[in-house]
Amino acid sequence: MKRTTAVFLTVLLFAGACDGSSSTSGSGSSVPGVTDSEVVVGTHMPLTGPAAAGYSKIAPATKAYFDFVNANGGINGRKITYKVKDDAYNPATTQQVVRELVLQDKVFAILNGLGTPTHTGVLDFLKTNKVPDLFVASGSRNWNQPDKYPGTFGFNPDYTVEGKILGTYVKQNLAGKKACFLGQDDDFGKDSLAGIEKTLGPVAAKQSYVTSNPNVGPQMGALKAAGCQVVLMATIPGFTALSIGTAAKIGFKPQFVVSNVGADPATVSKALGAAAPLLEGVVSTNYLPLTTDDASPWIQLYKKVNAQYNNNAEFDNNVVYGMSVAYLFVQSLQNAGKDLTRDSIIDAVQKNGFKGPGLVPLRFSATDHAGYGGEQLTTVKNGKAEFFGQAYTTDDGDGAVQPYTAQPVTPPQNGIPAA
Amino acid sequence: MTDVEEKRAAAAVPEIVRRRKRIWPVVPIVIGALLVVLLTYTLPPFRNYQLATIGAYFTVTAGLTVLTGLNGQLSLGHGALMATGAYTFALTQNRWLHTPVSFVAAILVTTLAGVVIGLAAARLRGPYLAGLTLAVAVVVPSVTSTFDETFNSDMGLSVALDPPPGTIPMERWQAWLCWTGALVTVLSLATLVRGRFGRDLRAVRDDETAARLAGVDVARTKVLAFVVSAACAGLAGALFAVLAQSVSPGAFPLTLSLFLVMAIVIGGLGRLVGALLGAVLLVALPALAQSAGESSGSQHLEGNLALVVFGVVLVVVMLAAPGGLASIRFNLWRKR
């Protein structure tokens, strides 16, 4: 037992010694993560693990845009440092890495932390430490609780808003057909279904799946047996592919209407492989420029940044998403002004008025912390998603689904938003 | 006459030895407790959180190393037992918001689960036992989705926690809770394995037939070993719930169970010191791998790098010290 004590002592002292070196680097500024020449922000992302497919490309894209801004002088003389921590989509790891970012690396804010179960766990921690929690990468309505979590803001249109828009589409264009639903067994599926039923009325049949069980045979079988002609889906990319593939195998050919979360044609057709043509005609939505739209000045800008600062990564929805988040954060920094504090950036976001790549406005205000307020419908033609019709906005309550007609803006000449 | 004296002498020696053995574990535990308190006051908050995580891991690796190292039963399902403890803790805590009661409930429920699995496990050995426990590890996530009204499926539950008493920072409080759990566990285990129970465990591990001939109840010993280690896992699970303030199937993946086994093997099977070293590695290696990845500018390899580092450490340790890190003898010290 003497050795136990010795080892115990050594280990604990080692832990203590390790620490001494790293804790001494404190900045003189009173605002954590902000100096005259730098602002440090952090994020947690699944770079590995079950959710890494596709999503692992977001943070590098965000970082690439920041590098582009830094190369052009930064914001108010400050360069943006983006610390990306891998949480493998495991809530326990998220706790660990977010604490590391906040307590150890002293980041100014958490930007675009990804995932509903993962990010829900750190809301209280970020609140107690008064860390701005900007533009969470998920469409859960959890982020929109300004009374409870004054520093947390969403980015994606929430799943209920999307559900209402999809429901309206089905009601207007596929009237009289038997509509059914397949959703993920969490807030994603539940919120989406709530939105769909608000505009479409009760669906004829509903099924759910869990990500830990990659077999949707029973679900698709039940939907076929119920005689469904339209299947609305709140699924992540892998399960969109799985569901469409399984349906084809059992000779079930309904019209698929899929949430934007799981409809990126590049990601889904990769999963479908040779069966990629099954995607033709699938209806979905989007709220950011489409990757295939080379005429869009936003896509031109993003492609340029992607080539210069992101090792020319394969250009898909995730890259567009990551850069759009970065663009919005740069706008927030500009609006917060030279005298950057945690309060000033929250005020700047709440003031809103952002004009960017989004097809619809952001909803931010002092009483609303939800992100984009609407979407436009897309359909897959020749393997590429295309917009059709017009954009719609709505809320997550009983508000009507309204067409949004304002013209999209173009990015500034140099690609960097001004104050 | 001489015969009696001899007998008395023979009886007297073990008496002293026994008493020495009973007292000994207390000393390092007390020193450990003092050190932990000292460290929580000197370390910054994030290091306190890591210290707390080591404590939580130590709680489960200590139980597992007794089961696997001393009794020879390989469990690949301890992550699932931790999940049982964590979910029980979350459910009771969200209902009554009484931390001690929730801890007790978590340990009790997991112990019960341990009895059930242990009864089945006592009839199996080697790969069959590993298979059974593996099945347990796989089944737990589907339980959460089958009864999603209670367990909220993949989203999991958030855990309501009382704020720490007084002005103690959250991270220091978590470190105290976790290390109280760990030290109590280690003290109980050390006391337990020093007595007859420990001898039975080893006897069953080495040769079941010989143990049975010597009057050891093999089945009972095996079940008890499993139950004891399950209780430790349950407590560790509850501590994880306190640390993460949420429980979900994603926090207790199959890899967690495998990592636990790897940790006790690297640390040194059957030794509590080894369990401590394993727990430290479980926290330190991923952190080291991540900072190595960051400093090399790599973006995509960080997560996988931890696995690589773990694998390399396992191979190196097994080559250099087949008995694990705890078996390395510091000859220089000894000679003096």
Side-chain angles (χ1 to χ4, degrees):
Chain A
M1 231 37 201
K2 258 183 206 159
R3 280 186 58 235
T4 317
T5 322
V7 170
F8 203 95
L9 278 164
T10 329
V11 162
L12 290 178
L13 286 177
F14 177 72
C18 275
D19 178 69
S21 55
S22 49
S23 64
T24 44
S25 59
S27 68
S29 166
S30 56
V31 185
V34 179
T35 63
D36 287 341
S37 59
E38 193 187 27
V39 49
V40 187
V41 285
T43 193
H44 62 90
M45 286 276 166
L47 300 178
T48 56
Y55 293 156
S56 64
K57 298 178 71 180
I58 294 174
T62 308
K63 197 171 188 312
Y65 185 80
F66 287 156
D67 289 344
F68 165 69
V69 171
N70 290 345
N72 285 283
I75 303 300
N76 293 319
R78 295 188 183 101
K79 302 243 150 100
I80 305 167
T81 304
Y82 195 42
K83 296 202 167 202
V84 183
K85 300 273 180 192
D86 179 19
D87 66 2
Y89 211 67
N90 174 343
T93 316
T94 311
Q95 287 284 337
Q96 181 104 16
V97 296
V98 168
R99 273 183 168 77
E100 188 173 358
L101 287 168
V102 171
L103 300 173
Q104 192 76 11
D105 299 343
K106 306 254 190 286
V107 295
F108 169 65
I110 296 291
L111 174 64
N112 202 224
L114 190 143
T116 310
T118 47
H119 198 78
T120 304
V122 293
L123 284 178
D124 283 307
F125 170 75
L126 293 175
K127 180 194 174 185
T128 10
N129 286 276
K130 299 195 163 53
V131 183
D133 179 18
L134 304 175
F135 319 136
V136 184
S138 139
S140 166
R141 285 180 293 169
N142 283 357
W143 327 131
N144 183 18
Q145 302 183 65
D147 295 334
K148 215 168 153 197
Y149 301 109
T152 298
F153 296 84
F155 183 83
N156 304 24
D158 64 57
Y159 302 129
T160 305
V161 162
E162 178 175 63
K164 282 171 77 175
I165 292 171
L166 293 177
T168 308
Y169 166 76
V170 172
K171 193 177 178 184
Q172 288 174 352
N173 297 280
L174 302 165
K177 295 201 170 171
K178 203 166 197 183
C180 305
F181 176 79
L182 172 72
Q184 193 158 304
D185 191 15
D186 57 16
D187 281 358
F188 175 24
K190 285 176 202 156
D191 288 0
S192 186
L193 180 63
I196 289 168
E197 297 200 321
K198 241 176 205 155
T199 50
L200 183 65
V203 292
K206 47 191 162 193
Q207 292 287 322
S208 67
Y209 72 88
V210 288
T211 47
S212 45
N213 180 11
N215 173 22
V216 291
Q219 287 92 331
M220 296 321 283
L223 293 178
K224 187 189 181 190
C228 304
Q229 293 161 298
V230 178
V231 175
L232 294 122
M233 298 205 292
T235 46
I236 57 174
F239 278 81
T240 310
L242 195 60
S243 308
I244 293 177
T246 309
K249 245 185 236 166
I250 58 171
F252 175 40
K253 289 201 170 109
Q255 168 69 50
F256 288 105
V257 178
V258 187
S259 158
N260 83 86
V261 174
D264 175 31
T267 316
V268 179
S269 26
K270 206 180 279 169
L272 278 172
L278 288 173
L279 263 184
E280 286 299 298
V282 167
V283 171
S284 181
T285 53
N286 211 327
Y287 55 100
L288 295 172
L290 291 172
T291 49
T292 46
D293 183 6
D294 286 326
S296 158
W298 292 100
I299 296 300
Q300 290 163 6
L301 168 67
Y302 290 167
K303 278 197 167 160
K304 194 181 92 184
V305 174
N306 191 50
Q308 278 186 327
Y309 297 95
N310 203 17
N311 297 325
N312 228 343
E314 192 194 354
F315 196 74
D316 64 12
N317 275 351
N318 297 298
V319 175
V320 172
Y321 182 95
M323 293 199 187
S324 300
V325 167
Y327 188 88
L328 179 60
F329 180 66
V330 170
Q331 281 183 308
S332 316
L333 281 184
Q334 293 281 24
N335 291 4
K338 253 193 148 43
D339 190 16
L340 182 62
T341 64
R342 284 177 163 174
D343 286 335
S344 75
I345 196 146
I346 287 177
D347 287 345
V349 176
Q350 288 190 156
K351 218 175 272 165
N352 201 352
F354 298 115
K355 296 260 187 285
L359 306 179
V360 295
L362 289 148
R363 285 176 282 177
F364 301 136
S365 74
T367 53
D368 196 340
H369 284 191
Y372 281 106
E375 294 180 324
Q376 185 168 349
L377 292 153
T378 63
T379 183
V380 179
K381 263 189 206 155
N382 302 323
K384 287 178 178 177
E386 280 177 16
F387 280 122
F388 68 92
Q390 60 200 351
Y392 294 93
T393 59
T394 184
D395 59 13
D396 57 17
D398 294 323
V401 176
Q402 285 167 328
Y404 181 76
T405 47
Q407 281 300 308
V409 299
T410 51
Q413 200 65 43
N414 65 354
I416 299 167
Chain B
M1 191 64 191
T2 48
D3 194 30
V4 173
E5 261 176 4
E6 259 177 32
K7 265 187 187 167
R8 198 174 289 156
V13 173
E15 182 63 31
I16 293 166
V17 172
R18 206 182 306 148
R19 197 179 290 163
R20 248 194 67 179
K21 280 186 171 176
R22 279 278 151 79
I23 295 167
W24 257 115
V26 178
V27 178
I29 296 297
V30 170
I31 296 175
L34 288 176
L35 248 180
V36 166
V37 172
L38 190 78
L39 278 175
T40 53
Y41 275 100
T42 48
L43 293 180
F46 176 64
R47 297 295 169 188
N48 268 333
Y49 185 79
Q50 284 188 314
L51 186 67
T53 316
I54 295 177
Y57 272 127
F58 190 19
T59 312
V60 56
T61 49
L64 188 59
T65 205
V66 165
L67 177 74
T68 305
L70 295 185
N71 196 224
Q73 301 191 67
L74 176 62
S75 168
L76 297 179
H78 263 51
L81 288 169
M82 286 174 72
T84 310
Y87 270 99
T88 312
F89 182 85
L91 289 171
T92 32
Q93 185 69 5
N94 291 350
R95 179 128 201 196
W96 291 294
L97 200 64
H98 192 288
T99 316
V101 168
S102 308
F103 271 117
V104 172
I107 296 172
L108 282 182
V109 170
T110 317
T111 310
L112 264 180
V115 171
V116 176
I117 304 170
L119 281 174
R123 294 159 190 275
L124 302 169
R125 67 184 71 195
Y128 308 105
L129 174 61
L132 171 82
T133 49
L134 190 64
V136 173
V138 174
V139 158
V140 163
S142 36
V143 169
T144 62
S145 52
T146 309
F147 303 98
D148 57 350
E149 295 290 308
T150 318
F151 299 112
N152 200 16
S153 201
D154 282 359
M155 292 266 299
L157 308 164
S158 53
V159 179
L161 280 185
D162 305 305
T167 53
I168 304 169
M170 190 63 184
E171 285 74 23
R172 188 177 297 157
W173 178 237
Q174 286 170 325
W176 288 358
L177 280 181
C178 290
W179 276 94
T180 309
L183 294 175
V184 167
T185 305
V186 171
L187 181 61
S188 328
L189 287 176
T191 317
L192 207 57
V193 299
R194 258 146 212 285
R196 178 185 170 146
F197 181 61
R199 281 197 304 282
D200 288 357
L201 285 180
R202 277 178 276 256
V204 169
R205 173 194 63 187
D206 293 338
D207 190 336
E208 280 191 23
T209 318
R212 194 170 284 123
L213 284 173
V216 175
D217 187 336
V218 173
R220 190 169 148 269
T221 310
K222 279 179 138 185
V223 175
L224 260 181
F226 205 96
V227 169
V228 165
S229 80
C232 298
L235 176 58
L239 292 172
F240 262 68
V242 169
L243 282 175
Q245 290 164 45
S246 71
V247 289
S248 61
F252 303 95
L254 185 56
T255 43
L256 174 64
S257 303
L258 301 180
F259 267 132
L260 292 176
V261 175
M262 219 143 91
I264 58 166
V265 170
I266 296 176
L269 268 180
R271 294 155 189 262
L272 293 173
V273 192
L276 173 64
L277 291 173
V280 173
L281 287 182
L282 279 174
V283 175
L285 284 185
L288 276 179
Q290 176 132 21
S291 52
E294 266 168 29
S295 58
S296 72
S298 139
Q299 285 246 345
H300 300 282
L301 216 94
E302 285 167 16
N304 296 330
L305 201 59
L307 283 175
V308 174
V309 171
F310 237 108
V312 169
V313 169
L314 181 68
V315 171
V316 169
V317 169
M318 286 305 108
L319 285 175
L325 291 177
S327 70
I328 298 172
R329 301 205 172 269
F330 299 99
N331 285 331
L332 283 176
W333 293 7
R334 298 249 151 176
K335 273 175 193 162
R336 254 186 241 165

